[in-house]
Amino acid sequence: MTSTPRPPTILVALTGASGMPYGLRLTEMLLAAGCRVWLVYSQVAQIVARQEMDVVLPANPQQAERELATRFNAAPGQLEVFGREDWNCPPASGSNPPDAMVVCPCSMGTLAAIAHGLASNLIERAADVVMKERRTLILVPRETPFSTLHLENMLSLSRNGVVILPPSPGFYQQPREIADLVDFVVARILDQLRVPHTLLPRWGEPQAGD
């Protein structure tokens, strides 16, 4: 008897950097691909979501879970939202880590905390767990320019196997709107996660309508 493969569990963390469209679009596409998604976000991320997208991220995890599951048409149990101080939830322990974690967008403060193992909230602790359990950790840092300190922290993380993926969209696909630029970056994240998508054609493949 052949068992059905378990869908991957991806932890998405939203922090207080600019770039909330990337994080929410990533969440949407992971759910659409059949992944199980764990979601956690910082207090500043709630402010950024309202500023950039006019989206309210509720402080109550259960309310957020209901609203976002409806927004993204998630299957029952496919999306779980955790509070940023919920130390009893699965990603806080190495006994039940996600298959991968993406911090998108990633503030420089969060990046520095992860680089130095501070683990003072669930986002930082979950990243620490993912690193020590040798799972995939992807950081999407949104800042410009980078200071030497930023770069040194990124180099330290990269040497420890963390993927540093700045949201740098390409233009060879001739984007027509902001959503196309967002999808370019999200596609690169999905590629790192090995999650299939059709957000844009591969290099050398014909574009739609060609």
Side-chain angles (χ1 to χ4, degrees):
M1 180 176 178
T2 303
S3 61
T4 302
R6 179 183 65 85
T9 299
I10 311 297
L11 173 57
V12 177
L14 313 174
T15 68
S18 179
M20 197 56 58
Y22 298 121
L24 292 182
R25 179 63 165 161
L26 174 64
T27 302
E28 178 184 11
M29 296 309 299
L30 288 171
L31 291 168
C35 298
R36 182 185 182 197
V37 176
W38 291 344
L39 182 67
V40 61
Y41 45 80
S42 69
Q43 186 173 12
V44 182
Q46 294 174 268
I47 298 172
V48 174
R50 185 185 289 272
Q51 288 178 333
E52 295 188 341
M53 301 183 68
D54 200 25
V55 169
V56 175
L57 295 176
N60 181 277
Q62 289 74 33
Q63 181 184 354
E65 193 172 294
R66 290 192 299 270
E67 293 182 8
L68 291 171
T70 299
R71 178 187 180 97
F72 296 135
N73 195 31
Q78 190 184 10
L79 173 67
E80 293 184 72
V81 180
F82 301 117
R84 50 187 169 265
E85 304 297 333
D86 186 357
W87 299 104
N88 292 317
C89 69
S93 171
S95 67
N96 196 6
D99 295 299
M101 177 177 179
V102 186
V103 185
C104 176
C106 183
S107 68
M108 291 299 100
T110 298
L111 188 146
I114 294 171
H116 294 278
L118 298 187
S120 59
N121 57 46
L122 180 59
I123 293 174
E124 296 166 10
R125 170 56 184 168
D128 193 51
V129 165
V130 168
M131 290 176 66
K132 78 183 184 69
E133 297 299 325
R134 301 295 194 266
R135 305 295 174 92
T136 298
L137 175 60
I138 301 171
L139 306 185
V140 185
R142 218 309 305 173
E143 184 61 271
T144 189
F146 292 129
S147 72
T148 301
L149 184 58
H150 297 156
L151 294 169
E152 288 175 343
N153 285 335
M154 290 183 212
L155 180 58
S156 175
L157 288 164
S158 180
R159 285 173 171 160
N160 282 280
V162 177
V163 176
I164 306 298
L165 198 158
S168 305
F171 291 86
Y172 54 80
Q173 81 280 20
Q174 298 182 1
R176 292 179 172 83
E177 53 189 30
I178 292 175
D180 296 330
L181 300 176
V182 171
D183 280 354
F184 183 98
V185 173
V186 171
R188 298 286 77 81
I189 300 170
L190 294 173
D191 287 345
Q192 289 293 318
L193 294 169
R194 293 177 172 78
V195 173
H197 66 86
T198 57
L199 287 177
L200 69 161
R202 303 289 178 180
W203 181 258
E205 295 180 352
Q207 300 213 19
D210 288 353

